[in-house]
Amino acid sequence: MNDLRVDELNCETPLSAAAESVTPPGSFFVRNHFPVPPLRAEDHVLEIGGDVRAPLRLTLDDLQARSPAGAVVTLECAGNGRASMDPRAPGTQWRLGAFGTARFSGTALAPLLRSAEPLPGAEVVVFTGADRGEVEPDRTEAFARSLPLADALSPAALLAWEMNGEPLPADHGFPLRSVMPDRYGVDSVKWLVRIEVRAEPFRGFYQAERYRYLGEAGVADGTTVALMRPRSLIGYPTAGETLGEGERITIRGSAWSGYGAIASVEVSTDGGASWRQAGLVEDAPDHGPTLWESDWVVERGAHQVVARATDEEGNTQPLTGVWNAHGYGNNEVHRVDLEVS
Ligand code: MTE
């Protein structure tokens, strides 16, 4: 049985983890809408049903008997960066730490879904967690998200029971979660108990009323959050770091995008007045981050280090945040202020 917590938990990954390819265990951000449900591995059952010819009921043993699959995946909450939206957007005021990278292991979702035989006309797949609570006064729901059937059948989609080689921690979905690489974290449903195939769109609170872009210039109102927008974070130096004049340092960080591989990261040490190309030190593993670095000889005075990523689809981070009503997808550049005296 996992540890019980009476209230929901939200906490950020320290930004120094952006200099690593895998987030140190225990530092991975947590985004729980409701208290962690008390689940036991030994009697956990996953149902696959709805508009299917062959519904399934699978224990963890059944799942673990299937072909193993795993990947290094970066998860990022769609609300990451909300705290800097101007005017303020309501919701959890995430600064920039709602990201994390881990190796998730389990089995591939697509073959399982296919073996349930979705009926002709099936359009969406709803993933439901065992956690539930009041989403607004007098309306209690389980946490659930849907994906178009074609996306749920992506070869990258996983049902995972391990994170970095250990059973999933309670806060990260023990004993079973879905992991949908390249998409905002909301689509990776924790404490997974049911997968339902349907012909009609799903109208759950976190599908129809949240996690949609509203009022954002250039984006149709009601567009659901889906792929992660490009993001780069500076892992070193962090704000307030003590640096000596004349010191040669390597600015380090990581970058990712759900739209494709990272093509370039530019770095500025003067608040964006001038830019240079960072070196990309590692190709992204699976669906993890691209690490980057840039050498700098520190000069006396006030500096602002900025990093800006561009993906292979040509999407670039904006210099200032693009506002929307719920504060989703704010991928404005990361700025770190430093004073060298
Ligand atoms: N799944 C369930 N069942 N309940 C939740 O509250 N939060 C979602 C997603 N899956 C959530 C969930 C959101 S918004 C995010 S960003 C990720 O889980 C966070 O995953 P993590 O807590 O493992 O970092």
Side-chain angles (χ1 to χ4, degrees), residues 11-258:
C11 54
E12 301 199 14
T13 299
L15 285 176
S16 55
E20 319 282 335
S21 50
V22 167
T23 305
S27 297
F28 200 104
F29 84 104
V30 175
R31 182 19 171 161
N32 291 344
H33 288 81
F34 306 122
V36 172
L39 300 178
R40 303 192 321 166
E42 48 286 20
D43 46 27
H44 195 74
V45 170
L46 172 70
E47 292 179 353
I48 305 184
D51 292 338
V52 295
R53 195 162 286 126
L56 295 167
R57 270 178 69 82
L58 300 146
T59 63
L60 269 192
D61 282 347
D62 296 333
L63 289 167
Q64 288 169 356
R66 299 184 62 88
S67 300
V72 172
V73 176
T74 296
L75 294 182
E76 181 184 20
C77 187
N80 202 20
R82 178 181 290 133
S84 57
M85 283 227 156
D86 186 18
R88 185 179 181 278
T92 306
Q93 294 300 299
W94 298 103
R95 289 164 301 160
L96 286 171
F99 75 98
T101 301
R103 166 164 279 280
F104 290 97
S105 309
T107 193
L109 172 64
L112 253 180
L113 258 185
R114 285 208 180 86
S115 65
E117 299 180 45
L119 294 170
E123 291 284 341
V124 302
V125 182
V126 184
F127 297 80
T128 304
D131 53 330
R132 54 189 305 115
E134 212 174 51
V135 293
E136 51 186 29
D138 298 325
R139 181 172 171 193
T140 295
E141 279 186 20
F143 183 87
R145 285 284 295 174
S146 74
L147 287 178
L149 178 61
D151 291 332
L153 288 171
S154 152
L158 292 173
L159 296 182
W161 48 82
E162 276 184 8
M163 191 170 173
N164 298 322
E166 301 287 337
L168 283 170
D171 277 320
H172 296 294
F174 177 88
L176 185 70
R177 78 179 298 171
S178 64
V179 176
M180 301 295 167
D182 305 327
R183 307 179 72 92
Y184 280 116
V186 66
D187 284 333
S188 293
V189 176
K190 304 190 277 192
W191 314 294
L192 185 66
V193 286
R194 184 163 171 83
I195 297 177
E196 183 166 309
V197 178
R198 302 161 59 115
E200 301 81 37
F202 173 59
R203 305 291 310 161
F205 183 79
Y206 293 109
Q207 190 69 40
E209 281 154 72
R210 289 292 182 276
Y211 295 97
R212 289 189 180 262
Y213 295 109
L214 281 182
E216 179 168 318
V219 177
D221 260 358
T223 302
T224 189
V225 308
L227 298 179
M228 294 185 291
R229 293 172 169 179
R231 161 93 73 201
S232 58
L233 291 175
I234 300 159
Y236 178 83
T238 51
E241 197 98 32
T242 310
L243 301 174
E245 188 186 350
E247 202 179 325
R248 168 177 283 272
I249 68 158
T250 302
I251 303 168
R252 289 184 291 128
S254 53
W256 60 87
S257 166

